[in-house]
């Protein structure tokens, strides 16, 4: 009905997750419940929302993790962190990224300049100017030989080699040969790709199903629609490329 659920009394706030939200009060971050009551007192320079029972918090420019009662579970020690996802959080030490598990144990030693989360059991990492993929033990699963990548989705990952992007499977073999200027991971059987400066969509056989014609393109939504931009206007298209809605 448009009424305030929690009055605007905080200096900053992030989203609720696992029934708690980090908010900034009198210069420090704390956590409130959905009634606005402070359950974890202000003590932190910064805080992230809870995921998998733990929240990242910063003190004296270092990060650790607390539980939902405010107990420090993983000591303050890291330069940077990300929230937990599927049992792992990314942590940065001495300028390099690695993974810890929920007990705070180093699962993959910090050694990467860029590191993705695990998707379909593999994470991409940049090391010595080349990307590779590792498994959850940190073992190199696909060798360092790519100029760029992001992550696996639906069994394929976009990778760049010699200035062109194609798609590999989890053995490192190209299933769709490098031919695109840019590409996004597959989602619901389609991937956005860029050719001659325009975006279109391919299927997992590499066949173009929506011709490159857009200035930008996003993943397909679960409702089967994609947000794309053409002639300086945002539009929604369906999986056949039909116009569903256009910005006026």
């Amino acid at each position: 009905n448009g009424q305030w659920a929690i009055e605007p009394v905080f200096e900053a706030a992030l989203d609720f997750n696992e029934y708690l939200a980090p908010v900034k009060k009198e210069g420090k971050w704390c956590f409130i419940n959905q009634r606005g009551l402070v359950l974890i007192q202000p003590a932190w320079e910064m805080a992230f929302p809870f995921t998998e029972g733990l929240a990242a918090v910063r003190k004296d420019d270092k990060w650790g993790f607390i539980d939902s009662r405010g107990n420090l579970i993983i000591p303050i020690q890291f330069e940077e962190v990300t929230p937990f996802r599927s049992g792992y959080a990314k942590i940065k030490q001495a300028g390099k990224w690695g993974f810890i598990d929920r007990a705070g144990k180093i699962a993959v030693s910090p050694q990467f300049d860029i590191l993705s989360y695990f998707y379909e059991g593999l994470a991409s990492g940049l090391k010595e100017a080349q990307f590779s993929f590792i498994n959850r033990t940190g073992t190199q699963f696909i060798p360092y030989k790519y100029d760029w990548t992001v992550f696996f989705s639906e069994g394929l990952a976009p990778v760049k080699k010699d200035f062109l992007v194609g798609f590999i499977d989890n053995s490192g073999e190209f299933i769709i040969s490098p031919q695109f200027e840019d590409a996004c991971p597959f989602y619901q059987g389609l991937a956005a790709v860029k050719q001659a400066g325009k975006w279109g969509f391919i299927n997992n056989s590499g066949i173009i199903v929506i011709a490159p014609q857009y200035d930008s393109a996003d993943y397909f939504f679960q409702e089967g629609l994609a947000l794309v931009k053409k002639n300086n206007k945002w539009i929604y298209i369906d999986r056949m490329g039909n116009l569903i809605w256009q910005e006026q």
Side-chain angles (χ1 to χ4, degrees):
N1 60 10
Q3 300 297 311
W4 288 109
I6 298 173
E7 294 289 333
V9 296
F10 303 108
E11 297 153 28
L14 298 177
D15 291 339
F16 275 95
N17 203 39
E18 299 182 5
Y19 307 105
L20 296 173
V23 298
K24 191 176 183 181
K25 184 178 181 180
E26 297 177 354
K28 295 290 186 181
W29 286 81
C30 57
F31 287 83
I32 60 171
N33 65 13
Q34 291 172 319
R35 291 188 295 166
L37 299 176
V38 174
L39 297 189
I40 300 174
Q41 295 301 314
W44 312 107
E45 297 167 356
M46 185 59 201
F48 291 156
F50 276 90
T51 61
E52 302 184 7
L54 297 171
V57 292
R58 189 180 75 200
K59 187 175 184 179
D60 298 328
D61 288 327
K62 297 287 186 180
W63 290 85
F65 290 84
I66 60 172
D67 66 14
S68 59
R69 294 187 176 184
N71 299 312
L72 190 62
I73 302 302
I74 299 173
I76 302 291
Q77 59 188 296
F78 304 112
E79 296 167 9
E80 293 183 53
V81 298
T82 66
F84 275 90
R85 179 173 179 167
S86 301
Y88 296 89
K90 294 187 284 183
I91 52 92
K92 192 176 188 181
Q93 286 184 317
K96 302 293 183 181
W97 288 95
F99 284 105
I100 58 170
D101 62 20
R102 294 186 71 255
K105 180 182 177 182
I106 297 289
V108 177
S109 63
Q111 57 189 288
F112 300 100
D113 298 314
I114 298 174
L115 186 63
S116 79
Y117 279 111
F118 287 104
Y119 293 86
E120 301 183 3
L122 297 174
S124 65
L126 176 67
K127 189 176 180 180
E128 298 177 357
Q130 292 285 289
F131 280 90
S132 70
F133 287 88
I134 60 169
N135 61 20
R136 287 186 170 92
T137 68
T139 302
Q140 185 186 113
F141 201 79
I142 298 174
Y144 293 96
K145 58 181 179 180
Y146 304 113
D147 302 321
W148 168 87
T149 188
V150 277
F151 53 83
F152 274 91
S153 176
E154 301 183 8
L156 298 172
V159 298
K160 181 177 283 187
K161 186 71 175 173
D162 299 328
F163 305 105
L164 292 175
V165 179
F167 289 81
I168 59 169
D169 63 15
N170 61 15
S171 72
E173 295 296 320
F174 275 103
I175 303 303
I176 300 171
S177 64
Q179 57 192 286
F180 307 109
E181 298 163 13
D182 201 353
C184 297
F186 275 91
Y187 189 70
Q188 295 188 347
L190 297 177
V193 296
K194 189 177 184 181
Q195 280 187 323
K198 297 294 183 180
W199 288 86
F201 291 86
I202 61 170
N203 63 20
N204 55 18
S205 296
I207 297 171
I208 292 176
V209 295
I210 300 176
Q213 58 190 288
Y214 306 108
D215 301 320
S216 64
D218 204 350
Y219 299 116
F220 273 91
F221 296 157
Q222 291 184 358
E223 293 82 3
L225 300 178
L227 181 64
V228 296
K229 195 172 190 179
K230 187 175 183 179
N231 298 328
N232 210 33
K233 289 187 176 182
W234 290 103
I235 62 178
Y236 280 105
I237 58 171
D238 65 15
R239 295 174 61 85
M240 302 299 293
N242 298 313
L243 175 64
I244 302 301
W245 173 88
Q246 179 172 296
E247 178 185 8
Q248 300 302 315

